[in-house]
Amino acid sequence: MNPDLFLQLDFSSWYANVRNQFIRCFIENDRYKLLVNGIGVTIKVSLVALLFGLIIGMIIAMCNLSKKKPIRAIGLVYTDIIRGTPSVTQLMIIYFVVFASINISKWFIAAIAFGINSGAYVSEIIRAGILSIDHGQTEAGRSLGLGSFQTMRKIVLPQALKNIFPALCNEFIVLIKETAIVGYIGLMDIQKAGDFIKSATYLPFMPLIATAIIYYVLIKLLNLGLKKIENALRKSDVRSTR
C-alpha cells in the first residue's frame, strides 16, 4: 500500500473517531448546555464567595491585630480551624449539618462555605498588608487629629490594599478552582457537568479535556482583567510620587 495513502486513511479514521466522540459528548441531547450552565454556576459561586471572603477576612484581620486577647483569640481560633481542615469537609458540614433544615439554594450555601474558607486566608493577607505599612503612617494620622478607626480606614488600609492586591487576585483564582468540589452537594458546576457527560457516554477524554480548557480560559481571562487593574494601580502610584 502507498505510505501516503495509508497516512491519509489513518488520519481520516482518527478524525472520524474524534468527531464522533465530540458529537456524542456535546451535541447529542444538548449536553453542551450542561457545561454552559456549569460555567454560570462556577462564576456565580466564586463571585459571591469572594465577597463573603473579603468581608470575613477584613473582620478576622482586625481581630488578629486587636490588642484585646479575647478578640485576638477569636481570630486565631477561626484561622487555625479553617486552615487546618479540608475545604470539602467544611462544605459538607455547612450543607448537610448547618443548613440541613433550611431551604436555601445550593449555590448560595456553597458560596457561604467557600466564603468562610477564603476568609481565613484573606485575613492573613490583609493582616500582612497592614503590618507592612510603616508605623509612621499611623502616627501621622494621629497627629492630624484622626482617631484609630479613621487612620486605619483613610491612611493605612488604602496603602495596604494596593500592596496586597496581587495576593488577593491569586486567592480569587484559587477560589475558582476550589469550587470544582461543589459536586459533592449535587451542584452542577463545570466539573460536575464534565463528570456527568463522562458517565453518560463512557468517554472520559473529551469531557475532561473540555473541563480543563474551560477552567483555563476562565482563569486566563481573569488574569488579564486583574493585570489591567494592577497596572492602573501602579500608574496611579507613579503619578502620586511625582
Side-chain angles (χ1 to χ4, degrees):
M1 180 182 288
N2 189 331
D4 292 338
L5 179 60
F6 176 78
L7 290 174
Q8 184 177 0
L9 291 174
D10 188 58
F11 176 78
S12 298
S13 62
W14 174 84
Y15 174 77
N17 182 49
V18 171
R19 182 175 178 275
N20 289 334
Q21 287 192 28
F22 183 87
I23 292 173
R24 283 186 60 191
C25 289
F26 307 118
I27 306 303
E28 287 183 2
N29 299 320
D30 293 332
R31 292 194 182 100
Y32 72 92
K33 292 182 179 179
L34 296 173
L35 290 171
V36 173
N37 294 333
I39 293 172
V41 170
T42 296
I43 293 175
K44 185 165 55 174
V45 171
S46 300
L47 288 175
V48 177
L50 175 67
L51 178 61
F52 285 149
L54 288 173
I55 295 172
I56 294 172
M58 182 66 70
I59 295 172
I60 298 301
M62 294 299 104
C63 290
N64 289 335
L65 293 171
S66 176
K67 295 180 180 179
K68 298 179 180 180
K69 288 185 178 181
I71 296 177
R72 191 164 66 248
I74 293 173
L76 293 174
V77 169
Y78 175 86
T79 54
D80 186 55
I81 293 175
I82 297 300
R83 295 171 69 186
T85 54
S87 54
V88 64
T89 304
Q90 298 166 16
L91 174 64
M92 289 193 289
I93 288 174
I94 291 174
Y95 180 76
F96 291 108
V97 179
V98 177
F99 290 100
S101 59
I102 302 176
N103 186 21
I104 301 178
S105 299
K106 290 182 179 180
W107 76 265
F108 192 70
I109 295 176
I112 293 173
F114 285 109
I116 292 173
N117 178 270
S118 180
Y121 297 93
V122 171
S123 68
E124 289 299 291
I125 295 172
I126 295 175
R127 184 180 69 86
I130 292 174
L131 292 177
S132 69
I133 304 301
D134 188 84
H135 189 64
Q137 299 288 329
T138 302
E139 294 177 350
R142 295 290 183 86
S143 66
L144 292 173
L146 299 176
S148 300
F149 178 76
Q150 289 178 314
T151 302
M152 179 65 69
R153 183 172 63 86
K154 294 183 177 181
I155 297 177
V156 177
L157 277 180
Q159 297 180 70
L161 290 176
K162 285 185 178 181
N163 293 339
I164 65 176
F165 185 77
L168 290 176
C169 294
N170 184 64
E171 172 61 24
F172 186 33
I173 290 170
V174 171
L175 182 62
I176 290 177
K177 291 186 286 187
E178 280 191 346
T179 59
I181 63 173
V182 296
Y184 279 94
I185 62 172
L187 198 59
M188 188 69 75
D189 70 322
I190 298 171
Q191 185 62 52
K192 186 66 174 179
D195 291 341
F196 182 87
I197 295 172
K198 177 167 63 70
S199 299
T201 60
Y202 298 100
L203 297 172
F205 179 76
M206 282 284 181
L208 291 175
I209 292 299
T211 300
I213 291 173
I214 291 171
Y215 274 113
Y216 176 79
V217 171
L218 281 178
I219 299 301
K220 194 67 177 178
L221 292 175
L222 180 63
N223 269 324
L224 292 174
L226 295 175
K227 196 68 178 177
K228 288 186 178 181
I229 298 175
E230 185 179 351
N231 291 336
L233 291 174
R234 287 179 178 177
K235 287 180 181 179
S236 67
D237 286 341
V238 171
R239 293 194 191 98
S240 63
T241 56
R242 290 180 179 177

